[in-house]
Amino acid sequence: MAVPSRVLRSEWTKIRSVRSTVWTLGVAALVTIALGALISALVRHDFTRLSPHDKQVFDPTFVSFAGTGLGQLAMIVFGVLVVSGEYATGMIRTSLAAVPRRGVLFTAKLTVAALLALAVGMLTSFAAFATGQTLLGQYRAALGDPGVLRAVLGGGLYMTLITVFSMAVAVMLRSPLLSLGVLMPFFFLISNILANVEVTRKFGAYLPDQAGQHIMRVVPDGDGAPYGPWGGFGIMCLWVAAALMTGYVLLKRRDA
Amino acid sequence: MIEIEGLTKAYGDTLAVDGLSFTVRPGVVTGFLGPNGAGKSTTMRMVLGLDHPTSGRVRIGGQPYERLTDPLRHVGALLDAKAVHGGRSAFHHLLCLAQSNGVADSRVHEVLDLVGLGSVARKRSKGFSLGMSQRLGIAAAMLGDPSILMFDEPVNGLDPEGIHWIRNLMRDLAGQGRTVFVSSHLMSEMALTADHLVVIGQGRLLADTSMPDFITEHSRSYVRLRSPEQQRLRDVLAAGGFTAVPGSDGSVEVDGGDPVRLGQLMADHRLVLHELSRQQASLEEAFMRLTAGSVEYHAHPAGADEPAPAAVWGADWRSGKES
């Protein structure tokens, strides 16, 4: 039986020794912070022209996270490449020969990648908040305001869960192209459409990203979601747990 | 020691491996021979627990592979030289494998030097030639200093120098008392390296025998004679009590004939000979005869009505000894 601490070390070596790790995580942080900053600057400029309703639900914290929707795509690429990089190259057979306990190998791989995503996600979230609030000027929120710290920490957690979800899907599908082909359009377009079109809105609110994003809000957006910030986050956790379990069952049964 | 008992792998209705049982012993090189698609790679993947057997089992020193503590210290395997993340350097590839099995980091440099990749250790393996990849795969197999080594078609795509190196390496490893299990679809390759042979065809065991036994059992030795006076040659042989069969381009072959006696006979009759040579049917030929019934993909020569599998498969090696 493999020794878990050794496998964790080994997975850390794997993740830090490929270039895709640096550029996917780098792009995720950069896009999230930069786009959040841009939107924050625009909102400050146009604040007086906002409708009364928009002013009422104005959430300076959430505005600074406006880059998350795009930045998360790079986190998805990171998660998919960590897992399917092994399958696409055939490295998986070498890895499983070294660590034949599949559960141990994948738990270690997902743990290392999730911790790295958490670190990058938290840094990104705090940086996006700080940059965004500076640019919002007089409309800014402070970290000490009620609910703000929770929302900023939530931004980091959201990024982490999106990464773990992507890794679980990549375990199921194995192919990087197939995994990205499913995840990217879903999180970039389909989920947003389902959550905003009248007929599917009720169902769309329970999709992993739509529900999870509520943790980054301080002011409810008034769309009448039947759960609070932590409720939404819980729904996202359930999605991730379900994806992980499906992936694990397939992993155990399949030939490598 | 690798013990395989009743190993079977079915893909739908097709049996890739069909009730295989044999033991691979330490101290010798065991050749695992079979035509393409015979089930060699599938068997090796099941030894490593990568593929799940439909039935039967594999034991490594008495244990299933998944139960081994630090398996790389027991079994080193090279199944596919390209099964490497190309974006990772040779050094980091070996380092992550070493760490997972508690092998000292210093061992990584040792094996890199052993296979001659020390100078490209920091290069990404994407740019490696097949020969270099093969060496990296062997370095990975040697990493845990294992007592069992398993190589799937290790000489495929290698240059003569690389082939020579791998042959010597396998012999050395067996000489150190390790178990060496190596697959090939070329009998000629096995004849040079293996001490013991396990032959399979269509997933079934065809032979499990020592190399010398295989040679005596399966190879035909004969004497070839050639003379400008063909008819007289045949008459003299018949009169001398030899059964002669016609060989290629006008020669005559005498099965199991003694060249000394035949030479004497020809001298007694003052018959001019252009050739008198002892021939051994190649092992390749013996292997083809053995597996003739189980070759999955036959080449069909153009214009032939009834393709004879044994003759067609590898017709290049038909006559003569190993070159």
Side-chain angles (χ1 to χ4, degrees), chain A residues 70 92 103 117 126 173 188 205 247 255:
Chain A
L70 203 57
I92 186 66
F126 276 92
L173 300 178
F188 192 59
D255 289 337

Side-chain angles (χ1 to χ4, degrees), chain A residues 21-251:
Chain A
T21 303
V22 175
W23 66 255
T24 47
L25 293 176
V27 166
L30 201 71
V31 167
T32 308
I33 297 165
L35 195 59
L38 180 70
I39 303 284
S40 299
L42 289 175
V43 165
R44 177 195 189 176
H45 187 256
D46 285 350
F47 190 81
T48 47
R49 267 172 286 173
L50 289 181
S51 71
H53 173 261
D54 283 347
K55 278 183 185 156
Q56 201 194 338
V57 298
F58 177 67
D59 185 344
T61 312
F62 195 64
V63 166
S64 60
F65 292 143
T68 308
L70 203 57
Q72 69 178 354
L73 299 183
M75 295 301 271
I76 291 170
V77 177
F78 165 70
V80 166
L81 289 186
V82 164
V83 172
S84 61
E86 295 246 355
Y87 286 104
T89 57
M91 177 71 191
I92 186 66
R93 290 190 291 280
T94 310
S95 295
L96 282 175
V99 185
R101 288 288 175 101
R102 299 181 180 192
V104 173
L105 179 73
F106 274 84
T107 307
K109 182 180 288 299
L110 266 57
T111 304
V112 167
L115 287 175
L116 191 56
L118 180 67
V120 173
M122 282 299 174
L123 280 173
T124 305
S125 190
F126 276 92
F129 177 78
T131 322
Q133 300 317 308
T134 309
L135 291 166
L136 278 168
Q138 71 264 41
Y139 309 112
R140 69 174 171 268
L143 209 51
D145 295 348
V148 170
L149 182 61
R150 182 260 301 149
V152 177
L153 290 172
L157 291 175
Y158 174 84
M159 288 290 222
T160 312
L161 283 189
I162 280 286
T163 310
V164 176
F165 186 78
S166 308
M167 289 193 281
V169 170
V171 170
M172 289 181 222
L173 300 178
R174 296 190 276 193
S175 146
L177 281 178
L178 188 59
S179 307
L180 290 175
V182 168
L183 289 166
M184 300 282 262
F186 180 81
F187 283 119
F188 192 59
L189 286 174
I190 298 168
S191 134
N192 287 314
I193 293 168
L194 291 177
N196 288 297
V197 171
E198 201 54 52
V199 279
T200 53
R201 186 191 291 260
K202 279 210 165 79
F203 156 76
Y206 289 96
L207 292 172
D209 57 331
Q210 299 299 328
Q213 276 171 18
H214 282 263
I215 190 108
M216 293 185 274
R217 288 184 181 277
V218 176
V219 185
D221 66 349
D223 66 355
Y227 46 74
W230 287 109
F233 188 71
I235 291 167
M236 190 184 192
C237 286
L238 289 178
W239 277 97
V240 172
L244 284 172
M245 272 191 300
T246 313
Y248 180 72
V249 170
L250 287 173
L251 178 73

Side-chain angles (χ1 to χ4, degrees), chain B residues 29 41 60 63 74 86 95 108 132 139 177 182 184 192 213 221 231 241 245 247 266 272 293 304 310:
Chain B
V29 176
S41 298
I60 311 285
Q63 280 188 312
H74 299 272
L95 182 64
V108 171
M132 287 161 84
V182 52
S184 177
L192 292 171
D213 284 355
S221 85
Q231 192 49 53
V245 290
M266 295 305 138
V272 176

Side-chain angles (χ1 to χ4, degrees), chain B residues 88-95 112 120-121 123 125 128 136:
Chain B
R88 200 170 279 131
S89 71
F91 171 78
H92 280 118
H93 172 68
L94 295 173
L95 182 64
L112 277 169
V120 291
K123 291 251 166 43
S125 61
F128 282 14
L136 181 58

Side-chain angles (χ1 to χ4, degrees), chain B residues 78-131:
Chain B
L78 166 62
L79 294 196
D80 174 7
K82 287 288 179 190
V84 166
H85 193 304
R88 200 170 279 131
S89 71
F91 171 78
H92 280 118
H93 172 68
L94 295 173
L95 182 64
C96 70
L97 293 176
Q99 288 172 335
S100 68
N101 277 246
V103 173
D105 294 3
S106 58
R107 177 73 183 153
V108 171
H109 294 289
E110 274 175 42
V111 292
L112 277 169
D113 289 337
L114 179 78
V115 300
L117 289 180
S119 59
V120 291
R122 296 284 171 179
K123 291 251 166 43
R124 296 197 287 164
S125 61
K126 201 179 284 178
F128 282 14
S129 66
L130 183 55

Side-chain angles (χ1 to χ4, degrees), chain B:
Chain B
M1 180 136 76
I2 307 171
E3 293 157 289
I4 292 175
E5 282 175 42
L7 199 64
T8 300
K9 177 73 183 181
Y11 295 107
D13 293 338
T14 322
L15 282 173
V17 176
D18 186 0
L20 268 191
S21 296
F22 60 89
T23 301
V24 186
R25 293 191 169 76
V28 290
V29 176
T30 301
F32 191 29
L33 195 61
N36 291 328
K40 302 183 297 287
S41 298
T42 309
T43 303
M44 287 184 150
R45 283 201 304 272
M46 287 192 283
V47 169
L48 296 180
L50 297 174
D51 286 9
H52 304 300
T54 309
S55 65
R57 55 180 206 168
V58 180
R59 290 287 178 273
I60 311 285
Q63 280 188 312
Y65 189 84
E66 300 89 90
R67 290 277 171 76
L68 298 173
T69 313
D70 299 329
L72 297 185
R73 291 166 174 271
H74 299 272
V75 183
L78 166 62
L79 294 196
D80 174 7
K82 287 288 179 190
V84 166
H85 193 304
R88 200 170 279 131
S89 71
F91 171 78
H92 280 118
H93 172 68
L94 295 173
L95 182 64
C96 70
L97 293 176
Q99 288 172 335
S100 68
N101 277 246
V103 173
D105 294 3
S106 58
R107 177 73 183 153
V108 171
H109 294 289
E110 274 175 42
V111 292
L112 277 169
D113 289 337
L114 179 78
V115 300
L117 289 180
S119 59
V120 291
R122 296 284 171 179
K123 291 251 166 43
R124 296 197 287 164
S125 61
K126 201 179 284 178
F128 282 14
S129 66
L130 183 55
M132 287 161 84
S133 300
Q134 211 84 324
R135 282 168 189 266
L136 181 58
I138 286 171
M142 302 291 294
L143 201 56
D145 198 17
S147 57
I148 298 171
L149 286 127
M150 198 162 75
F151 303 111
D152 192 9
E153 307 266 1
V155 300
N156 263 10
L158 286 191
D159 55 11
E161 193 257 332
I163 293 175
H164 187 70
W165 175 72
I166 288 198
R167 276 182 201 148
N168 287 338
L169 179 74
M170 290 191 294
R171 294 206 150 282
D172 288 349
L173 291 168
Q176 293 161 14
R178 297 177 212 254
T179 304
V180 181
F181 188 42
V182 52
S183 80
S184 177
H185 61 275
L186 295 178
M187 182 69 214
S188 50
E189 184 53 41
M190 290 291 92
L192 292 171
T193 40
D195 309 294
H196 194 89
L197 265 188
V198 172
V199 185
I200 65 167
Q202 288 192 338
R204 278 189 290 270
L205 189 68
L206 297 176
D208 180 0
T209 166
S210 78
M211 197 71 196
D213 284 355
F214 183 86
I215 294 171
T216 13
E217 210 174 304
H218 291 281
S219 62
R220 151 185 179 247
S221 85
Y222 59 96
V223 175
R224 180 192 290 157
L225 299 125
R226 203 189 298 271
S227 166
E229 302 171 75
Q230 274 202 45
Q231 192 49 53
R232 245 193 94 211
L233 172 64
R234 256 172 264 165
D235 295 344
V236 167
L237 285 170
F242 292 99
T243 318
V245 290
S248 54
D249 46 285
S251 70
V252 163
E253 294 172 357
V254 179
D255 266 1
D258 175 5
V260 177
R261 278 188 55 210
L262 283 165
Q264 191 58 56
L265 182 71
M266 295 305 138
D268 292 347
H269 288 85
R270 306 191 62 77
L271 191 80
V272 176
L273 282 184
H274 289 172
E275 183 182 354
L276 184 146
S277 61
R278 189 209 287 277
Q279 301 285 333
Q280 184 112 31
S282 74
L283 288 169
E284 204 72 53
E285 218 172 12
F287 168 55
M288 285 187 295
R289 272 205 301 274
L290 189 62
T291 57
S294 62
V295 175
E296 199 165 349
Y297 311 104
H298 292 300
H300 291 239
D305 294 326
E306 286 278 322
V312 174
W313 204 74
D316 313 4
W317 307 286
R318 279 232 49 164
S319 58
K321 295 182 285 185
E322 290 300 332
S323 52

